[in-house]
Every structure is written in structure tokens, then in C-alpha cells.
Amino acid sequence: MAKKKLIVVWPYRFRDFDWQRFELEQLSQHVEVHVHELIDALTPEFAAAYANQSERPEVKRFSSLKDWRREFKRVSKDSVIFTHVRPINLQSALICLKIRLSGCKVIGFSTGGAPNYASVGNYKESKSVKFLKILFHFLKRTAFSFISPGLVLVGGDEEEKRAHRDYSRQASLVFGNSSDYSQTLLSGHDSKSVEFKSVFLDTGFPGFQRDELLTGDVESVQPSQWYPPLNKFLDLVEKILGYKTVIAIHPKHVGRDHSEFFGPRPTIGGQTMGLVSSSELVVATNSTSISYAVAFRIPLILVTCDAIEKSKQRKRLEIRNCSHETGAKIFNIDREYTEKDLRDALVIDHAKRESYKRKYLTSRTDDKPNYQVLLDEVINAVD
């Protein structure tokens, strides 16, 4: 008997990292996976943010939507569709319409795994701005309800709220996990390593091109304002705590030379979860990979600098919100700190960690990873 087909419609550059985090390796044991990558047809300028791409045979790249529609029509009969395309402009809305009209079972995803700049009370808005935002989301949700997926996978209470805000009220929620948290459920706990006891979760800020290519935001913090004091702070961590630090490279930038920014300090890509699980300390700004520190109960320190604090970037608020939600202390790397400051920061606020887990990482209580949820409740579910 032929396997059921699964089509993943992906608007960005698809990497081996994405194959792993969406648990397509596990799903491919049960379904025939097709990945349709649309970045070259939708936002080719965003491709510069990526240093790597998957060369798996399941991944097909389309530089025109005409070619994609032809291939989608060829393979979509009786398929299940995982769509990561949102109707943010005419092109993407037409893609959503094509998917919806296919008659296939379609599932969207709201599994962010981290607070954003407006998640908690650090972001102040006037009543009129709040009203206009509520009205905007209502009108957008209503206007695009007919092309919205019938199902949405969510991970955490905040993602459930976001799905209710962004998707049609007729869409049914499928309760799962953030992608990072689901990976921890699959992995178990790695054995402790003696080589690296401290991990810095690099986002590529501000040295490499990132999502700003898509949003059009201008980077206001210069590399010279960030990397020298950051390296000095990591040296302090190593000197006081005796924790040798490794840089966990962001998945977008695996393959790029980081020595210009971090000097001789070791940098490793594609192993962030394992590095965190075997560490004694995680240092970060804002990152979804903070969820690994939460899941593995690793102390977390957040870092900022004067340039970030003086800027109007969302990053400043995102760092504060991560601190508020996890209980982690923020260190300004342009300031001086003592051994007591660092050791006090190693204390974990377990109540806030548990709250973070429920709000941002999982909507489940049974530790079932996402691939099993999707198999049981979507792919093999009887309509």
C-alpha cells in the first residue's frame, strides 16, 4: 500500500535544520514527504540571510509560482498539507487560496517558542493603538477566513492566543509543542560534557544579515559596539566561574566564518541542543533556543549593551521580556560585575521556568513529541 503524501509548503530557505526541527525524519517513516520551498519566488532578497540549504531529494525549489502551482497540482491529490505561508500580501494570499482549494487536509503552525517584544508589560501602547490593532486583526482574520487552514498546531498558552488572533475562528487547534521543546522530548538528556560548561546562543546579531532583510529594519547597533565587550564578558565568565565557553552558531549562519567576531573562541553549528543540555550555563540575548535551557534546567544569563539600550530596536524589549518570563538576570556587557553578581545569577527561578514552559513551550501534559501528535491527530485521524 502506497504511503500517504505530506507536502510542506515553506516560504523561506529550507535547511537540514528544518528537516530535523519539524521531525520530518520521523514522519517520513509513515508518509511520503515533499518539501516545496518558495523563497526564490516570494522574497529572493531574503536568501542572503542564509548560509546553507538542504540538498535532500525531498526538497524542491521554485523560482516562479507558476512552476510551483503546476507541481502542487501534480502531487497534491489526497495529500496532507503543512503550510507555513501566511497571507501577508497578494502573492502569499493566492498561495493560501490554492492550498485551500485543493480539498486536502491543511494544517498551519503557531509554535514560536519564545516571547516577542509585545508579549508582556514592558511594551506600552495607548488604548487607541490597542483598539486599532484589535480591529486590524479582526478585519484580517475575517477577510482571510476562507483561505485559513482548517487546523493549527500550537505549543503553549501564548501561541494558543496568537492562533485565535491570527487564524479563522473556524480553525481547530491541535495541541502540541514548540519545535525546540519537542526536540528535547525526542532526545532525552545527553550525558554531561567536560569540555564546554558555558554556551553563548548566537543569533548573528549584529554581524550577519538576518530577518531585517525581510522586515526592512535598519541595524542600529554596530559590531564594534557589541563583540569586544561581549568577548570581555565571556572571558569574565571563564575566569570567575571556570566555565569554558563555546559559541552555538545560529542555524542560518552555519558555514560562515565567525572568527572576525569571536576570535579563537570555539564556534559550533548544528549542535545547540546538545551543547546546552551538557552545559552549566547558557548566555543569550533573545532566542527560541532559550527553551533548551528551560527544558534541561540550565542556569540562564541574558546580555545587553549600551547601544541596544539606547536604540529603539525590538531586541531591547525582547531581552527584557525573556528576563521577565524566565527570571533570568540581565547583564549589560558595558558594565563591570563581580563574582557574587555572576554566582547569584546562577540561581534558577523554578516557578517562572514552569510558567514559561506552559506559556511558550507546550500545550500538552503527556510529553508526546510533535510528529506523534501530527500522526495521531492529523495525518491518520478519521475526518
Side-chain angles (χ1 to χ4, degrees):
M1 182 177 177
K3 289 181 179 179
K4 184 177 291 186
K5 284 177 287 187
L6 168 64
I7 303 175
V8 180
V9 185
W10 184 246
Y12 313 112
R13 182 68 75 214
F14 193 87
R15 303 151 294 173
D16 290 335
F17 165 76
D18 300 309
W19 181 270
Q20 178 186 35
R21 70 166 164 160
F22 296 130
E23 298 167 31
L24 296 178
E25 187 64 37
Q26 289 82 5
L27 287 170
S28 66
Q29 306 303 311
H30 305 273
V31 294
E32 179 183 306
V33 178
H34 299 250
V35 178
H36 289 182
E37 183 199 273
L38 300 179
I39 187 172
D40 293 329
L42 292 175
T43 53
E45 68 280 5
F46 190 40
Y50 294 86
N52 58 88
Q53 65 181 26
S54 177
E55 300 298 339
R56 296 188 65 94
E58 297 91 346
V59 181
K60 290 192 175 182
R61 299 189 159 86
F62 299 92
S63 57
S64 79
L65 293 182
K66 180 179 179 181
D67 290 341
W68 170 73
R69 285 191 291 268
R70 185 184 301 115
E71 176 65 12
F72 182 80
K73 181 179 179 181
R74 186 183 72 83
V75 300
S76 62
K77 184 179 180 182
D78 299 325
S79 296
V80 174
I81 314 297
F82 287 4
T83 180
H84 297 268
V85 178
R86 300 289 292 130
I88 58 174
N89 54 34
L90 179 60
Q91 278 189 314
S92 57
L94 290 174
I95 291 170
C96 294
L97 177 61
K98 178 70 174 178
I99 291 171
R100 200 73 170 96
L101 292 177
S102 69
C104 299
K105 187 181 292 184
V106 181
I107 182 166
F109 291 78
S110 188
T111 55
N116 61 28
Y117 73 99
S119 294
V120 294
N122 289 317
Y123 183 69
K124 305 297 182 183
E125 291 179 329
S126 66
K127 289 183 179 179
S128 59
V129 170
K130 288 182 179 179
F131 172 76
L132 289 173
K133 281 192 172 183
I134 291 171
L135 179 61
F136 169 77
H137 286 296
F138 170 77
L139 294 174
K140 182 180 177 182
R141 185 174 61 244
T142 303
F144 292 119
S145 61
F146 68 101
I147 60 174
S148 179
L151 301 165
V152 182
L153 182 74
V154 295
D157 295 342
E158 290 300 311
E159 293 301 329
E160 292 173 31
K161 294 176 186 177
R162 191 173 299 170
H164 283 304
R165 184 196 73 185
D166 293 344
Y167 290 89
S168 167
R169 291 296 167 86
Q170 281 70 52
S172 298
L173 301 187
V174 178
F175 298 108
N177 317 281
S178 77
S179 298
D180 287 343
Y181 187 72
S182 187
Q183 287 293 301
T184 70
L185 298 176
L186 286 170
S187 73
H189 287 267
D190 292 347
S191 59
K192 292 292 180 181
S193 167
V194 296
E195 186 173 6
F196 301 116
K197 288 191 175 183
S198 171
V199 181
F200 176 68
L201 302 178
D202 187 43
T203 64
F205 165 89
F208 294 116
Q209 293 178 314
R210 304 178 317 285
D211 291 355
E212 286 77 7
L213 281 173
L214 195 59
T215 62
D217 294 335
V218 177
E219 181 60 73
S220 59
V221 180
Q222 299 303 309
S224 60
Q225 296 173 301
W226 177 248
Y227 293 106
L230 174 63
N231 284 309
K232 182 180 177 182
F233 180 80
L234 296 178
D235 288 341
L236 182 70
V237 168
E238 294 186 349
K239 179 181 178 181
I240 290 179
L241 300 180
Y243 292 172
K244 186 177 180 181
T245 302
V246 63
I247 309 302
I249 298 174
H250 190 279
K252 277 192 182 77
H253 308 132
V254 173
R256 289 190 170 127
D257 183 6
H258 288 62
S259 61
E260 175 186 356
F261 306 122
F262 295 105
R265 185 167 272 116
T267 58
I268 297 178
Q271 300 179 39
T272 300
M273 181 174 63
L275 291 171
V276 170
S277 70
S278 63
S279 72
E280 301 291 340
L281 173 65
V282 172
V283 183
T285 52
N286 58 299
S287 170
T288 58
S289 293
I290 285 171
S291 57
Y292 295 139
V294 173
F296 294 121
R297 298 180 176 86
I298 307 298
L300 172 67
I301 284 175
L302 300 173
V303 287
T304 185
C305 69
D306 287 342
I308 292 176
E309 294 305 305
K310 292 175 183 176
S311 75
K312 296 182 179 180
Q313 286 188 319
R314 292 180 175 183
K315 192 174 191 71
R316 176 174 62 91
L317 293 174
E318 289 169 346
I319 293 169
R320 292 182 184 182
N321 288 349
C322 283
S323 173
H324 180 276
E325 297 289 62
T326 63
K329 289 182 171 61
I330 301 175
F331 286 73
N332 185 322
I333 57 178
D334 288 313
R335 303 287 182 270
E336 298 294 330
Y337 294 98
T338 65
E339 179 175 353
K340 185 178 185 302
D341 294 328
L342 287 175
R343 293 200 181 278
D344 286 349
L346 300 181
V347 178
I348 294 175
D349 187 329
H350 292 286
K352 285 206 168 186
R353 291 289 186 96
E354 185 60 28
S355 172
Y356 188 95
K357 175 182 170 182
R358 300 311 314 174
K359 290 176 73 173
Y360 300 104
L361 303 187
T362 185
S363 295
R364 302 191 70 85
T365 58
D366 59 3
D367 290 341
K368 185 182 288 188
N370 283 345
Y371 89 90
Q372 195 63 59
V373 173
L374 291 166
L375 280 173
D376 295 345
E377 301 183 27
V378 179
I379 295 172
N380 295 330
V382 178
D383 296 328

